[in-house]
Amino acid sequence: QVKSEMALANAQELINKINNNCFNLCFQNIGPSFSNNDQKCVTSCMDKYMEAWDIVSRTYVGRVQKEQQKF
Amino acid sequence: QVKSEMALANAQELINKINNNCFNLCFQNIGPSFSNNDQKCVTSCMDKYMEAWDIVSRTYVGRVQKEQQKF
Amino acid sequence: QVKSEMALANAQELINKINNNCFNLCFQNIGPSFSNNDQKCVTSCMDKYMEAWDIVSRTYVGRVQKEQQKF
Amino acid sequence: MSSPDFDQKTQEELKKFLDAENAKAQMQSTIHEFTGRCWDKCIKSATSNNNKIDSTEKACLENCVNRFVDTSMFIVKRLQNRN
Amino acid sequence: MSSPDFDQKTQEELKKFLDAENAKAQMQSTIHEFTGRCWDKCIKSATSNNNKIDSTEKACLENCVNRFVDTSMFIVKRLQNRN
Amino acid sequence: MSSPDFDQKTQEELKKFLDAENAKAQMQSTIHEFTGRCWDKCIKSATSNNNKIDSTEKACLENCVNRFVDTSMFIVKRLQNRN
């Protein structure tokens, strides 16, 4: 389900948003290389961000539709 | 006075800005409903935001005009 | 070197960014005038911001070129 | 809007074109913005042992979106009553 | 700007149209941005008992806008002296 | 993209024009964004005695940009492997 929404999403925007939201979380201290721990953190954060995006998207679209039916 | 400036203002932008600035203030803890307390806080915050917008707008426009007269 | 990149840069954008990044640093307490101390802080912050912009710009452009050579 | 040398029809088409581009971007952009804001409120960590969103985080995200929409609708209603 | 197949006049009109849209948005956008930034600096709470801005907050907002403009003008002057 | 009354060629030119404006802005905008984010991470103070970036701050800025690019490339690769 994420995939089809992803196809709709502006991919560049998604990459930017993941980067912005995960950079702060994963790089509290910035080192001279992209370490294994950095990669694990980004992987985990990226999966969570996309899951969050999916939950937010479904909740928001569902709510908008519910509100539209009131008219 | 707010009203006429409001008419000029992009209404959607105003709504977004109120929401962004008041959400953090009023929803430090997010509950399962839009409670009476939430509504009171948003009402109060919204009134303050619009008053702030009005003060900022008058101060800024006044200052710009003052600086323009120097030329 | 900064100068030529500056010429390329949208000047308004640069001014906004310096203002945004230095305002928080220099105006933790907001007083009724633009004091000498404020001016010193903004001067120093502005010099550092432009040096940072230059470092980031060279690092980023260099990295992008390095990655492009891999193809 | 003053664009004296475009004829009426071209102006309308240009506006329609920009509006359509805008609308397409708007929905995506709203979802991205909500995700970012609710992420800050609801997601505390992203460690390597934990790359699923748990049930507390999920409930928080859903509530966050709904409170955001509630607040927007509340603001719109109140602005309309004022005028 | 390379848009080889638009004629000169159309390009100028298109630019004028986009500039006008831009200028209209710019002033609003500046005021919204200042409001947001000075709000964060000056407004501490929004409780149900207190939905007016008090005199301290008002003075802070006014000073904040003026310091913002001072800083912008100072930066512009210093950039011009450099070149 | 539905803009029924523009002919095909005009639509393409309009798109090319907007893309070119976009690309010009994009590189500047990326550098400004990185500068802002890495500034927050790496630059601690701006006092009147200290208006040069020191070697620790410089290394931090360079590492910050490189980690940002690493992260972007890592995300792109992982998104492609998913599909």
Side-chain angles (χ1 to χ4, degrees):
Chain A
Q1 174 158 16
V2 173
K3 271 187 217 167
S4 62
E5 281 162 320
M6 228 114 270
L8 282 168
N10 184 320
Q12 189 58 47
E13 182 73 357
L14 181 73
I15 293 161
N16 285 342
K17 293 287 176 176
I18 293 174
N19 205 342
N20 288 348
N21 285 289
C22 293
F23 200 77
N24 278 335
L25 242 155
C26 293
F27 296 91
Q28 314 240 339
N29 297 305
I30 292 170
S33 71
F34 191 50
S35 70
N36 276 340
N37 268 343
D38 293 341
Q39 292 182 33
K40 271 188 203 161
C41 185
V42 171
T43 302
S44 157
C45 183
M46 186 179 163
D47 286 350
K48 287 187 94 167
Y49 187 86
M50 288 194 291
E51 202 185 337
W53 196 90
D54 193 37
I55 291 167
V56 166
S57 174
R58 270 182 291 122
T59 309
Y60 179 63
V61 171
R63 177 68 186 272
V64 167
Q65 286 171 347
K66 205 178 113 189
E67 296 297 335
Q68 281 172 335
Q69 281 164 10
K70 290 187 186 164
F71 294 97
Chain B
Q1 174 160 16
V2 173
K3 272 186 215 168
S4 62
E5 283 162 319
M6 227 114 271
L8 283 167
N10 184 319
Q12 189 59 46
E13 182 72 357
L14 182 72
I15 293 161
N16 286 341
K17 293 287 176 174
I18 293 174
N19 205 342
N20 288 347
N21 285 289
C22 294
F23 200 77
N24 279 336
L25 242 155
C26 293
F27 296 92
Q28 314 239 340
N29 298 303
I30 293 171
S33 72
F34 191 50
S35 70
N36 275 340
N37 269 343
D38 294 340
Q39 293 182 33
K40 273 187 203 161
C41 184
V42 171
T43 302
S44 157
C45 182
M46 186 178 161
D47 286 350
K48 287 187 95 167
Y49 187 86
M50 288 194 291
E51 204 185 336
W53 196 90
D54 194 37
I55 292 167
V56 166
S57 173
R58 270 182 291 122
T59 309
Y60 178 63
V61 171
R63 176 68 187 270
V64 167
Q65 287 171 346
K66 206 179 113 190
E67 296 297 336
Q68 281 173 334
Q69 282 164 10
K70 291 186 187 165
F71 295 97
Chain C
Q1 175 158 18
V2 172
K3 271 187 217 167
S4 62
E5 282 162 322
M6 227 114 273
L8 282 168
N10 184 321
Q12 189 58 48
E13 182 72 358
L14 181 72
I15 294 160
N16 285 342
K17 294 288 176 175
I18 293 174
N19 205 343
N20 289 347
N21 285 289
C22 294
F23 200 77
N24 279 335
L25 241 156
C26 294
F27 296 91
Q28 313 239 339
N29 297 305
I30 292 170
S33 71
F34 191 50
S35 71
N36 276 339
N37 269 343
D38 294 340
Q39 293 182 33
K40 273 188 203 161
C41 185
V42 171
T43 301
S44 157
C45 182
M46 188 178 161
D47 286 350
K48 287 186 95 167
Y49 187 86
M50 289 194 291
E51 202 185 337
W53 196 90
D54 194 36
I55 292 167
V56 166
S57 174
R58 271 183 289 123
T59 309
Y60 179 62
V61 171
R63 176 67 187 271
V64 167
Q65 286 171 348
K66 204 179 114 191
E67 296 298 335
Q68 281 173 335
Q69 283 164 9
K70 291 187 188 165
F71 294 96
Chain D
M1 196 193 301
S2 63
S3 21
D5 287 284
F6 276 128
D7 63 47
Q8 183 69 18
K9 185 140 170 289
T10 308
Q11 279 190 45
E12 277 163 23
E13 287 309 316
L14 198 50
K15 188 165 179 328
K16 218 185 282 173
F17 166 77
L18 294 171
D19 284 351
E21 288 298 286
N22 229 357
K24 244 181 7 188
Q26 187 64 45
M27 190 81 172
Q28 296 295 345
S29 155
T30 301
I31 293 171
H32 275 302
E33 203 204 313
F34 282 17
T35 305
R37 295 191 143 264
C38 293
W39 175 269
D40 288 341
K41 290 262 174 210
C42 301
I43 311 293
K44 303 303 178 197
S45 67
T47 69
S48 50
N49 304 320
N50 174 23
N51 56 358
K52 287 270 174 204
I53 281 176
D54 66 34
S55 62
T56 312
E57 290 171 328
K58 182 166 188 281
C60 180
L61 288 170
E62 290 168 346
N63 286 333
C64 179
V65 171
N66 278 311
R67 287 309 77 68
F68 231 129
V69 176
D70 287 333
T71 304
S72 288
M73 292 176 66
F74 185 78
I75 292 168
V76 171
K77 254 184 253 169
R78 237 181 126 241
L79 281 176
Q80 284 171 339
N81 290 347
R82 256 169 178 261
N83 290 355
Chain E
M1 194 193 301
S2 63
S3 21
D5 286 284
F6 275 127
D7 63 47
Q8 183 68 19
K9 183 136 171 292
T10 308
Q11 280 189 45
E12 276 163 22
E13 286 309 316
L14 197 49
K15 187 165 180 328
K16 218 185 282 172
F17 167 76
L18 293 172
D19 285 350
E21 288 299 285
N22 229 357
K24 243 179 12 186
Q26 187 64 45
M27 190 81 172
Q28 296 295 345
S29 156
T30 301
I31 293 170
H32 275 301
E33 202 205 313
F34 283 17
T35 305
R37 295 192 143 262
C38 295
W39 176 268
D40 289 342
K41 290 263 174 209
C42 301
I43 311 294
K44 304 304 178 196
S45 66
T47 68
S48 50
N49 304 320
N50 174 24
N51 55 359
K52 288 269 173 204
I53 281 174
D54 66 34
S55 62
T56 312
E57 290 171 328
K58 183 166 187 279
C60 181
L61 287 170
E62 290 168 346
N63 286 333
C64 178
V65 172
N66 279 311
R67 290 306 78 69
F68 231 129
V69 176
D70 287 332
T71 304
S72 289
M73 292 176 66
F74 184 79
I75 292 168
V76 171
K77 257 184 253 170
R78 237 182 124 239
L79 281 176
Q80 284 170 339
N81 291 347
R82 259 170 175 259
N83 291 355
Chain F
M1 195 192 300
S2 63
S3 21
D5 287 284
F6 277 128
D7 63 48
Q8 183 69 17
K9 183 137 170 292
T10 307
Q11 279 190 46
E12 277 162 23
E13 287 309 316
L14 198 50
K15 189 166 179 327
K16 216 184 283 172
F17 166 76
L18 293 171
D19 284 351
E21 287 299 284
N22 228 357
K24 243 179 9 188
Q26 187 65 45
M27 190 80 172
Q28 295 295 346
S29 155
T30 301
I31 293 170
H32 275 302
E33 203 204 314
F34 281 17
T35 305
R37 295 191 144 264
C38 295
W39 174 269
D40 288 342
K41 290 262 174 209
C42 301
I43 311 294
K44 304 304 179 197
S45 67
T47 69
S48 50
N49 305 320
N50 173 23
N51 56 0
K52 287 268 174 206
I53 281 176
D54 65 34
S55 61
T56 312
E57 289 171 329
K58 183 166 187 281
C60 181
L61 287 170
E62 289 168 347
N63 286 332
C64 179
V65 172
N66 279 310
R67 290 306 79 67
F68 231 129
V69 176
D70 287 332
T71 304
S72 288
M73 292 175 66
F74 185 78
I75 292 168
V76 171
K77 256 183 252 169
R78 233 177 130 244
L79 281 177
Q80 283 171 339
N81 290 347
R82 259 167 175 262
N83 289 355

